[in-house]
Amino acid sequence: MRIHLTSVVVDDQRKALRFYTEKLGFRVKHNIPMGEHAWITVVSTEAPEGTELLLEPDGHPAVRPFKAALMEDGIPSASFAVDDVKAEHDRLVGKGVRFVQPPTDLGTVVTAVFDDTCGSLIQITEEKQQGGT
Amino acid sequence: MGHVDIYRAIADPTRRAILDELADRSGQSLFELRARLVMKHGIDSSRQAVSQHLDVLETAGLVRTRREGRSKLHWLVGAPLKAIGERWPVSTDEDTPHSSDEDIEK
């Protein structure tokens, strides 16, 4: 069994598509119109055959209060791996991305959290090298 | 909001760790604070427990919350701690045998 698809629920699919491609640098894998909404997935350019991220519409009435509660506590909806959190933070800030948590060294990992402008927070994580190996 | 609240607030090691982390960076979400507590202090308290600790600190005037965007962030307010230094001021000619701080619990 493999994890082939995961999703982040967005308040506006077109806005999300722009953010996740133009700001984050992901590539569109599928963009299939489905009535009012579309089946939109993006992939990392570093792993185009890897896990797809579905930009999922937030039509269900339970979604908004759930997302609002996560946002209030600062809880990210997804976490992406990067080689260098600080460099990625600087690159994204340069593109106008708003970080709610700057790069923070937590011992074994460095993390930072930004606002995806579509109602969710996203964490980026760098696993620190454990000395020796 | 009297001084008693400050002493009670800082009597708890988890609340002291919260103040340590807010001193490191003010304006943290509950998520960030909990991540720091577990990763840096080994304190794996529940959301509700940390939330209650923050309520105590806020009542004592040591923490202030503010909404930024749609998130609730926590800020350290150090001013009330001045009352402690004013109540027991450090004299300049202290020569007590136990003036080092090695016995003080973190």
Side-chain angles (χ1 to χ4, degrees), chain B residues 60-79:
Chain B
L62 292 167
V63 164
R64 196 167 52 211
T65 60
R66 199 164 75 199
R67 287 190 169 273
E68 199 150 291
R70 282 171 285 182
S71 299
K72 184 179 173 188
L73 303 181
H74 303 83
W75 304 77
L76 176 68
V77 183

Side-chain angles (χ1 to χ4, degrees), chain B residues 9-101:
Chain B
I10 60 174
D12 180 273
T14 298
R15 289 200 286 271
R16 287 198 295 275
I18 289 172
L19 294 179
D20 287 342
E21 291 310 317
L22 289 179
D24 186 50
R25 190 176 96 79
S26 234
Q28 291 184 45
S29 68
L30 191 57
F31 172 80
E32 181 177 353
L33 257 180
R34 286 189 62 203
R36 285 167 172 256
L37 288 176
V38 70
M39 299 294 285
K40 295 172 74 177
H41 300 264
I43 299 171
D44 187 15
S45 298
S46 68
R47 177 196 181 279
Q48 194 183 1
V50 174
S51 196
Q52 283 171 355
H53 283 312
L54 284 165
D55 285 345
V56 172
L57 291 168
E58 192 171 4
T59 304
L62 292 167
V63 164
R64 196 167 52 211
T65 60
R66 199 164 75 199
R67 287 190 169 273
E68 199 150 291
R70 282 171 285 182
S71 299
K72 184 179 173 188
L73 303 181
H74 303 83
W75 304 77
L76 176 68
V77 183
L81 293 171
K82 273 200 247 169
I84 296 174
E86 284 163 7
R87 180 165 168 182
W88 297 291
V90 179
S91 61
T92 50
D93 57 346
E94 284 185 12
D95 56 355
T96 58
H98 299 295
S99 59
S100 85
D101 61 0

Side-chain angles (χ1 to χ4, degrees), chain A residues 52-106:
Chain A
E52 293 175 46
L53 180 70
L54 176 67
L55 305 179
E56 191 171 2
D58 68 353
H60 192 284
V63 169
R64 286 179 195 198
F66 173 68
K67 284 177 73 179
L70 292 183
M71 181 69 91
E72 169 156 326
D73 279 2
I75 299 172
S77 297
S79 183
F80 302 140
V82 298
D83 294 331
D84 183 338
V85 163
K86 176 73 171 67
E88 196 68 30
H89 165 269
D90 294 350
R91 184 182 75 83
L92 293 174
V93 166
K95 291 187 156 208
V97 174
R98 187 178 74 88
F99 275 76
V100 299
Q101 181 205 307
T104 305
D105 190 332
L106 296 173

Side-chain angles (χ1 to χ4, degrees), chain A residues 35-48:
Chain A
E36 187 187 346
H37 300 296
W39 178 267
I40 304 174
T41 69
V42 295
V43 290
S44 165
T45 54
E46 295 168 44

